């Protein structure tokens, strides 16, 4: 006999928790079970990120990211207000340090306008007035960007779910999902679970569960490690906004930034180096299965061939703190090597195509009785509530 629910959610990161939350709102009478393999929720990407509430500047107009990030900014703030989760809209400055970057920043300003994200162009003098420690030729001020501890958002979601009677099972790993005409059955490391519909929000491991369930797609989730440092408390007044470089538009990562944290500190990072373990965070972490999955995927080798310079730069930043510091010195020369204190790292799940191309947008795939979240990189923490609403709209049609 297997335990029965209406909806089964796999994964207790922010996307899985938000999905359960939206399901409760839309279908309060439904029996909902969330299965998480770890002893706690939010131990992976959702608890190990920059903590930025993004405002929707960077994303291709019309994409899911562009639409759901704007909605997510608003809904995250409303959720924080309603559930007493500390947040602050400190604003962000994207800083151009050369003529070439200024041109790219202009293109970014147009994109922000197309996405409906308010921005203000700052000349070098105005930038220096706002941020005396930062130098650049120009900057784009994004006043709506904010900061929050997404781990705290996850815990507030968990409290709502428990109050609503959602069954939250920790230490329960889903090993496989099998659909029949009338139900979906999850084999786990404990008892089997049966539901009318399953929603898989398994972060960096989502593609493996989907393949095991028989889905076919021509990309894989590749883990990219993000190393951070933290500035000493004495330097926590260094900047008033988040400070970002102008990103390479071909890459999904935003470059090493100075991020104001809701606990009053400032983090520096993250880098974006290939990780040899999906869910381990030591500098030398290695997992044979994860590494094998990665190296057997031809898209990885094509990706490395497409972006050799970025690969070398990330490797250098991973090995050498001095090189890492050079990336920051482009826009903030006042930080010294001794200011780079240890800070927890994270591992991002990023979809890479078989042709080596990076898939930028969020990807949700539906079968008759399940939805799989197959690409939910940044800004998916910001966008989790509206991503969840999309998923629930799909699932409610069943
Ligand atoms: C370094 C870094 C910086 C980032 N910065 C930002 C930012 O500033 N702003 C922003 O909006 N976004 C940011 N992001 C992105 C954001 O953190 C992620 O997009 C988001 O957390 C993804 O949530 P998730 O629930 O999909 O994945 P996760 O948080 O990884 O959760 C997946 C969960 O599924 C569980 N799981 C996996 N397999 C199974 C299984 N078989 N059975 C049961 N459970 C399973 C895992 O244990 C995990 O708890 C950042 C990410 C990283 C890594």
């Amino acid at each position: 006999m297997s335990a029965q629910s209406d909806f089964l959610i796999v994964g207790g990161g922010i996307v899985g928790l938000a999905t359960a939350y939206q399901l409760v709102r839309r279908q309060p009478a439904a029996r909902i079970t969330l299965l998480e393999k770890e002893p706690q929720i939010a131990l992976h990407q959702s608890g190990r990120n920059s903590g930025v509430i993004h405002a929707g500047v960077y994303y291709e107009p019309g994409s899911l990211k562009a639409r759901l990030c704007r909605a997510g900014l608003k809904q995250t703030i409303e959720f924080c207000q309603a559930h007493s989760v500390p947040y602050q809209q400190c604003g962000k400055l994207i800083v151009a340090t050369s003529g070439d970057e200024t041109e790219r920043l202009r293109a970014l300003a147009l994109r922000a306008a197309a996405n409906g994200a308010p921005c203000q162009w700052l000349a070098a003098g105005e930038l220096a007035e706002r941020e005396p420690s930062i130098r650049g030729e120009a900057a784009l001020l994004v006043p709506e960007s904010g900061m929050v501890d997404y781990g705290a958002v996850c815990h507030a979601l968990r409290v709502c779910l428990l109050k609503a009677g959602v069954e939250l099972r920790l230490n329960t790993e889903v090993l496989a999902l099998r659909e029949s005409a009338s139900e979906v059955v999850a084999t786990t490391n404990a008892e089997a679970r049966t539901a009318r519909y399953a929603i898989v929000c398994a972060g960096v491991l989502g593609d493996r569960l989907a393949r095991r369930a028989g889905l076919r797609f021509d990309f894989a989730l590749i883990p990219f490690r993000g190393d951070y440092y933290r500035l000493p408390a004495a330097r926590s007044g260094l900047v008033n906004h988040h400070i970002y470089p102008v990103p390479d538009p071909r890459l999904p990562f935003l470059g090493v930034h100075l991020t104001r944290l809701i606990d009053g500190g400032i983090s520096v990072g993250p880098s974006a180096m290939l990780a040899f373990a999906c869910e381990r965070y030591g500098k030398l972490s290695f997992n044979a299965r994860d590494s094998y999955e990665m190296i057997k995927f031809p898209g990885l080798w094509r990706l490395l061939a497409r972006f050799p310079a970025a690969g070398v730069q990330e490797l250098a930043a991973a090995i050498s703190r001095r090189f890492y510091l050079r990336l920051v010195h482009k826009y903030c020369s006042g930080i010294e090597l001794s200011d780079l204190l240890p800070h927890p790292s994270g591992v991002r799940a990023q979809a890479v195509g078989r042709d080596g191309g990076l898939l930028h947008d969020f990807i949700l795939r539906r079968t008759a009785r399940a939805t799989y979240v197959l690409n939910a990189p940044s800004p998916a923490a910001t966008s989790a509530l509206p991503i969840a609403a999309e998923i629930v709209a799909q699932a409610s049609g069943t």
Side-chain angles (χ1 to χ4, degrees):
M1 258 294 274
S2 60
Q4 175 83 39
S5 318
D6 293 314
F7 294 98
L8 196 64
I9 297 167
V10 183
I14 197 164
V15 177
L17 293 161
T19 300
Y21 177 79
Q22 299 287 31
L23 263 174
V24 166
R25 286 169 32 131
R26 185 146 171 171
Q27 299 202 28
R31 288 165 303 163
I32 303 165
T33 300
L34 188 149
L35 306 178
E36 165 56 54
K37 67 178 162 50
E38 303 290 351
Q40 283 175 41
I41 59 163
L43 282 188
H44 297 299
Q45 295 177 91
S46 302
R48 293 174 163 270
N49 53 50
S50 297
V52 174
I53 309 176
H54 286 288
V57 169
Y58 302 98
Y59 319 112
E60 178 80 30
S63 63
L64 277 178
K65 271 192 181 179
R67 180 164 61 83
L68 300 182
C69 183
R70 288 298 299 160
L73 167 80
K74 184 168 172 284
Q75 291 178 30
T76 300
I77 288 171
E78 284 167 0
F79 182 86
C80 289
Q81 288 169 345
H83 299 277
S84 305
V85 179
Y87 77 96
Q88 194 187 322
Q89 281 181 286
C90 57
K92 164 202 284 205
L93 285 166
I94 308 172
V95 178
T97 55
S98 65
D100 174 47
E101 286 185 2
T102 303
E103 279 314 300
R104 276 167 31 211
L105 192 60
R106 283 192 202 289
L108 211 51
L110 292 177
R111 179 165 273 199
N115 288 338
C119 285
Q120 188 186 336
W121 187 268
L122 302 183
E126 294 168 300
L127 168 63
E129 256 171 49
R130 278 184 178 265
E131 290 288 4
S133 306
I134 302 298
R135 68 190 152 80
E137 288 193 359
L140 198 60
L141 170 65
V142 188
E144 289 181 332
S145 297
M147 51 171 143
V148 71
D149 173 355
Y150 285 110
V153 174
C154 288
H155 284 283
L157 284 166
R158 176 179 162 275
V159 170
C160 296
L161 300 183
L162 293 178
K163 268 193 200 146
V166 171
E167 181 189 15
L168 187 58
R169 291 244 158 192
L170 301 172
N171 298 306
T172 306
E173 179 170 7
V174 173
L175 305 172
L177 287 162
R178 187 172 40 79
E179 289 182 39
S180 69
S182 58
E183 61 182 17
V184 52
V185 181
T187 314
T188 78
N189 59 341
E191 62 180 341
R193 312 287 310 203
T194 308
R196 228 164 17 87
Y197 198 87
I199 300 158
V200 177
C201 313
V204 68
L205 301 176
D207 61 336
R208 291 190 204 170
L209 265 182
R211 280 207 180 82
R212 231 172 286 151
L215 274 78
R216 293 290 167 259
F217 40 89
D218 59 356
F219 59 86
L221 287 176
I222 299 291
F224 286 88
R225 186 185 162 82
D227 281 321
Y228 289 94
Y229 296 97
R230 185 184 175 103
L231 298 184
R235 316 231 50 194
S236 55
L238 183 72
V239 289
N240 307 309
H241 309 78
H242 300 313
I243 308 293
Y244 279 63
V246 179
D248 180 336
R250 298 167 308 156
L251 299 174
F253 307 128
L254 301 179
V256 167
H257 39 269
L258 301 180
T259 312
R260 289 192 52 201
L261 303 173
I262 199 69
D263 67 7
I266 295 178
S267 70
V268 187
S271 52
M273 174 63 195
L274 279 179
F276 293 93
C278 285
E279 294 185 334
R280 291 190 199 159
Y281 302 98
K283 270 240 182 251
L284 300 175
S285 288
F286 176 81
N287 176 285
R289 166 87 199 275
D290 295 346
S291 303
Y292 173 69
E293 289 284 340
M294 197 164 67
I295 60 175
K296 77 171 190 197
F297 176 60
L300 171 71
W301 301 104
R302 294 183 183 128
L303 172 76
L304 293 174
R306 271 188 192 208
F307 299 109
V312 170
Q313 170 171 308
E314 292 302 337
L315 183 61
I319 296 170
S320 157
R321 257 189 341 149
R322 210 171 281 281
F323 184 87
Y324 198 102
L325 189 63
R326 272 187 18 213
L327 301 176
V328 183
H329 275 176
K330 274 181 74 182
Y331 53 84
C332 182
S333 55
I335 297 177
E336 292 167 19
L337 205 57
S338 57
D339 289 330
L340 298 183
L341 306 179
H343 190 68
S345 57
V347 173
R348 309 171 180 88
Q350 170 61 49
V352 174
R354 189 162 278 276
D355 62 356
L358 291 151
L359 282 75
H360 294 273
D361 211 1
F362 300 141
I363 301 174
L364 309 177
R365 281 285 160 84
R366 240 213 91 156
T367 63
R369 298 215 156 261
T371 295
Y372 291 81
V373 178
L374 289 178
N375 196 38
S378 184
T382 306
S383 318
L385 287 164
I387 291 175
E390 295 269 321
I391 295 171
V392 168
Q394 286 189 357
S396 298
T398 59

